[in-house]
Amino acid sequence: MKKICLWGALILAAGALCLAAWYFTAGNDMERYLEKELRISLPDGVEIASLDSHGGFHGDGTLLAVVTVPDKAGQDALWDQVKDNWNALPVDETIMEPIRQLWEERCGVLPLLPDTENGRWFYRDRYEEQYGEKCEFNSVLQNCTFALLDRDSGRLYVLENDC
């Protein structure tokens, strides 16, 4: 009976360790994913809040993420990476209007996209990359990645839409 209790305790402890390991690395997975998609390196200490509706057979869905860079040194490091590679604000309205509308529909508890002139933006049309042409019925949101760095708040807003 003591052996069974000991084995049970060991299995429970191993399960708790696996759960703790998953908990502490889950944020790192999102961090690495955003770095890959945006072609940047996020500074240490960022806080990421996200909502992701991807799933199912095709993996269609929308990922919304707000990355907060808490310190000035991290904000400056991120700015140095994007200032020459991303577009200067404001965002072209033909892109911004559908992005803002989708964000507002899906953001839940995440903050709304800021109306700022101090920052940079990134847009990637993955549909056009794959098929060599714009999507006729949804030319902005069809398989896109969008990011907006708000220099005033130190926040990076990311939208990835797959449909």
Side-chain angles (χ1 to χ4, degrees):
M1 185 68 165
K2 287 184 180 179
K3 276 188 173 181
I4 293 173
C5 286
L6 179 61
W7 279 107
L10 287 173
I11 290 171
L12 259 160
L17 282 173
C18 288
L19 186 60
W22 172 81
Y23 177 78
F24 286 111
T25 60
N28 291 336
D29 290 342
M30 178 60 72
E31 187 174 329
R32 284 190 294 276
Y33 181 76
L34 293 175
E35 288 176 331
K36 180 179 133 272
E37 291 301 306
L38 300 175
R39 301 172 183 135
I40 60 172
S41 179
L42 292 171
D44 292 336
V46 297
E47 300 167 9
I48 302 174
S50 64
L51 299 169
D52 192 352
S53 66
H54 285 87
F57 180 70
H58 293 287
D60 290 350
T62 302
L63 165 72
L64 302 175
V66 178
V67 180
T68 302
V69 184
D71 63 15
K72 182 83 168 107
Q75 292 172 12
D76 290 343
L78 184 56
W79 177 255
D80 288 341
Q81 293 178 63
V82 303
K83 69 180 178 186
D84 295 327
N85 299 317
W86 289 13
N87 302 297
L89 290 172
V91 180
D92 183 314
E93 275 305 310
T94 60
I95 293 173
M96 193 60 190
E97 189 56 37
I99 295 284
R100 190 176 297 282
Q101 183 176 357
L102 182 62
W103 187 282
E104 289 175 3
E105 288 172 6
R106 311 253 172 114
C107 71
V109 297
L110 296 176
L112 294 175
L113 288 172
D115 196 18
T116 182
E117 297 287 322
N118 188 13
R120 290 281 192 259
W121 65 280
F122 170 90
Y123 177 80
R124 182 173 164 217
D125 185 339
R126 292 178 284 109
Y127 183 92
E128 186 175 20
E129 288 174 8
Q130 184 175 1
Y131 298 108
E133 63 187 19
K134 291 261 186 211
C135 178
E136 288 183 36
F137 67 92
N138 194 353
S139 62
V140 173
L141 294 174
Q142 184 75 33
N143 296 344
C144 76
T145 303
F146 172 84
L148 180 125
L149 176 61
D150 178 7
R151 192 117 196 245
D152 295 330
S153 69
R155 286 184 174 161
L156 173 64
Y157 298 80
V158 181
L159 179 143
E160 180 179 86
N161 195 51
D162 297 301
C163 49

